[in-house]
Amino acid sequence: MLRKLLSHAAIYGLAAQGPRLAGVLALPVVTRYLTPADYGVAGIITAYAAVFAMLQSLGLSVVLVNSYARQPQRYTWIWRQLNGFVTLWSLVYGLLVLLALYFLVPAEGAAHRLEITLLNGLPIILFAMTDMQCNLYYQLKQKPLPVAIRSFIVGVLGVGLNVYTIAYLRLGYMGWFYAAFISAAVGFILNSYSIYIQQQLWPIFNFKWHRIKHSLGVSLPVVPHNLANFMLDTSDRLVLDVLRVPVQKIGLYNVAASFGTYFLITSMAISQAASPFYLKYLAQQQDKAAALQVRRLTFALQVLFLLATSLGCLWMREIFILLIKNEALQQAYPLAIIILMGYNFRPMYSVVYNTLTYREHTNKLWRISVAAGAGNVLLNFILVPIFGYQAAAYTTFAALMYMGYAGFYMKAFKASTQVSYYPVLWLSLTVSMLFIVYNIAAVAIMVKVILTAVAGTLGIVAAIVYQRRLQVQDSKENIS
């Protein structure tokens, strides 16, 4: 199980997200021609666009996943009806998105207001549902390679366009927007061929309203959950904009947050690979062995995340010096440490999310996410005016920790699991690691080399021991 999961994650993460790694390596080229104001404008607009994109899907990805798992003979009929409904809904919703984006462009981007609006709004209207349906189809089929190939093509194109528009054409923040739009359009064409031509999943516009009503009854409670979840990654820039924090300082925060985003992309790739395994074991509702396998999978991922983020934060100062060829932007590396460590929440959050969504307790999820999102926004409004924009990094970390661990105390989750996950222990370990790496990030490089070697050795030994335990367990299950 663990070997297959990691191989799929490698395909999702390395092949599909390889171009993003190339984008990181391109930072020394493009950052020479960017300013904190460029990062500020891009961060603000991207944050608003992300929120609008989340609302567009109406949370129906949950219904797509559940219909595939529960009705394998009929899921295509359900998917086509939902696609038709969302396509029509997007035409109405899209007009509101374009109008809102037009007035949300900050003063520093007013000269390109219309272009920014169209480049960020049209993909939400035209591309989002097809992309989501295609990615889910191959994820649930446990065929990551087609998604990885398309993502690789689109990613390479995006990185090349970023370098061309920013470093050669000197378009500043507009380079990001042009590159993102063209890449999204190419991705839509490739996904359309896969999902509509090869799989024949054309949208049905004469859909059954009772099917749509039932689907919305399951999906709409997920919308505030997904929105709050996504807002944890974007709301800081929105609040800083509302509080009239200078765009240059928002840009510094955006640079720091971007390193959290790079890890978020990797964590999402791993979550994609893990989702089918969770579904497999959660289907065995009364099986204690299956519940133990779910816990083993979660703990293995949690150790992997802690090790990766801790080592990344340990070397964050050197990473900034190497990649960010701009002294003004290099000031943001301490904030990047705090934000990156916050993303350790995902493995623990994933087991709660997968359990509750499979049991169709979607109306419970908002209690976790909305509280985390609202708490993050409220704390930002209180603390940023007092302590400055840097406070947003600490509130994000706190909110992400709540997101990851609050679900274990919900009655719906306790009733759905047969094992303990020791959330207090894992939370304490994460906070302790943040304190340690934050305070030793400036030590001598040789000390970091020694610490990295020790941590890497321990990680390899733990992985070998854990893999053998899983093989023994799988053998017992096969015999039984």
Side-chain angles (χ1 to χ4, degrees):
M1 176 185 69
L2 185 60
R3 182 179 299 172
K4 187 176 182 181
L5 186 154
L6 291 178
S7 67
H8 283 194
I11 296 174
Y12 283 124
L14 297 180
Q17 307 302 340
R20 292 185 180 271
L21 175 60
V24 175
L25 299 178
L27 286 175
V29 178
V30 299
T31 51
R32 299 174 187 274
Y33 308 100
L34 295 170
T35 66
D38 288 318
Y39 271 96
V41 173
I44 292 170
I45 295 301
T46 302
Y48 283 119
V51 174
F52 292 136
M54 185 62 62
L55 293 173
Q56 180 266 348
S57 68
L58 299 175
L60 287 168
S61 61
V62 171
V63 180
L64 297 179
V65 172
N66 283 354
S67 63
Y68 179 90
R70 295 173 181 271
Q71 299 172 286
Q73 305 303 321
R74 297 186 64 250
Y75 80 92
T76 56
W77 180 252
I78 298 172
W79 281 36
R80 292 178 64 196
Q81 291 189 67
L82 294 178
N83 193 356
F85 170 74
V86 174
T87 299
L88 294 178
W89 151 252
S90 296
L91 296 177
V92 178
Y93 177 71
L95 296 176
L96 300 176
V97 169
L98 292 174
L99 183 64
L101 281 175
Y102 185 83
F103 289 102
L104 290 171
V105 175
E108 287 77 3
H112 304 96
R113 187 180 300 274
L114 181 59
E115 298 99 304
I116 292 173
T117 300
L118 295 175
L119 292 173
N120 288 275
L122 290 179
I124 298 172
I125 303 169
L126 302 176
F127 308 152
M129 184 60 183
T130 299
D131 294 347
M132 178 178 71
Q133 188 170 317
C134 186
N135 290 334
L136 281 177
Y137 175 82
Y138 286 104
Q139 174 191 341
L140 294 171
K141 286 289 187 180
Q142 296 191 39
K143 296 180 179 179
L145 192 57
V147 176
I149 292 173
R150 285 192 295 275
S151 298
F152 184 83
I153 294 171
V154 172
V156 168
L157 176 63
V159 172
L161 288 172
N162 275 331
V163 173
Y164 177 71
T165 56
I166 295 173
Y168 181 74
L169 297 182
R170 308 290 177 87
L171 295 181
Y173 58 81
M174 286 302 299
W176 277 314
F177 297 142
Y178 280 116
F181 178 82
I182 296 172
S183 300
V186 172
F188 170 74
I189 294 171
L190 296 175
N191 287 333
S192 295
Y193 176 78
S194 295
I195 207 70
Y196 299 134
I197 305 301
Q198 292 183 319
Q199 307 304 326
Q200 294 294 303
L201 290 173
W202 292 97
I204 295 176
F205 296 105
N206 186 24
F207 41 77
K208 304 294 184 181
W209 274 107
H210 70 86
R211 163 59 58 188
I212 301 302
K213 290 179 181 178
H214 173 77
S215 299
L216 292 175
V218 175
S219 70
L220 287 178
V222 181
V223 172
H225 164 77
N226 286 344
L227 180 60
N229 182 27
F230 214 78
M231 284 286 286
L232 287 174
D233 303 317
T234 60
S235 66
D236 293 339
R237 278 147 282 190
L238 304 185
V239 173
L240 294 176
D241 182 45
V242 172
L243 291 174
R244 296 293 184 264
V245 172
V247 171
Q248 290 78 4
K249 291 185 177 180
I250 298 178
L252 289 176
Y253 184 87
N254 192 38
V255 173
S258 65
F259 282 83
T261 302
Y262 297 141
F263 184 78
L264 172 64
I265 293 166
T266 303
S267 70
M268 290 174 65
I270 296 174
S271 297
Q272 277 185 291
S275 181
F277 294 93
Y278 277 118
L279 291 176
K280 172 186 174 182
Y281 292 114
L282 289 171
Q284 306 170 41
Q285 298 189 32
Q286 304 301 322
D287 191 340
K288 183 67 175 291
L292 289 172
Q293 285 290 74
V294 172
R295 187 174 72 176
R296 291 188 188 100
L297 173 60
T298 304
F299 284 2
L301 293 178
Q302 188 62 54
V303 171
L304 176 64
F305 275 48
L306 272 171
L307 181 63
T309 54
S310 296
L311 291 178
C313 291
L314 179 65
W315 290 93
M316 190 60 71
R317 185 182 68 167
E318 288 74 19
I319 291 172
F320 264 67
I321 293 173
L322 178 65
L323 297 179
I324 308 296
K325 299 303 181 182
N326 186 314
E327 292 186 3
L329 297 175
Q330 289 174 1
Q331 302 172 22
Y333 90 85
L335 299 181
I337 294 176
I338 300 167
I339 295 171
L340 178 56
M341 285 300 294
Y343 285 100
N344 280 305
F345 85 99
R346 185 160 292 276
M348 304 302 283
Y349 162 78
S350 291
V351 68
V352 174
Y353 177 82
N354 280 289
T355 300
L356 294 182
T357 53
Y358 184 81
R359 311 292 189 222
E360 293 194 344
H361 295 311
T362 53
N363 60 336
K364 310 293 184 184
L365 289 170
W366 69 269
R367 300 180 185 179
I368 305 172
S369 53
V370 172
N376 187 36
V377 172
L378 179 61
L379 287 174
N380 279 331
F381 275 112
I382 295 173
L383 299 178
V384 168
I386 300 174
F387 299 103
Y389 74 97
Q390 297 92 334
Y394 293 92
T395 62
T396 296
F397 177 84
L400 290 174
M401 290 300 99
Y402 178 88
M403 187 80 157
Y405 294 96
F408 292 101
Y409 299 97
M410 295 180 62
K411 291 182 179 179
F413 178 79
K414 289 181 178 180
S416 301
T417 187
Q418 304 177 55
V419 295
S420 174
Y421 284 84
Y422 311 107
V424 174
L425 176 62
W426 287 107
L427 175 60
S428 301
L429 182 58
T430 301
V431 174
S432 299
M433 290 305 301
L434 169 61
F435 179 81
I436 292 171
V437 296
Y438 188 88
N439 284 281
I440 66 174
V443 299
I445 291 181
M446 186 54 63
V447 176
K448 294 184 181 183
V449 171
I450 295 173
L451 292 174
T452 302
V454 172
T457 302
L458 293 176
I460 293 172
V461 172
I464 294 173
V465 172
Y466 197 82
Q467 176 66 20
R468 289 178 178 174
R469 288 186 59 187
L470 285 179
Q471 289 175 345
V472 171
Q473 182 63 33
D474 288 339
S475 299
K476 291 180 180 179
E477 292 178 1
N478 293 333
I479 293 174
S480 61

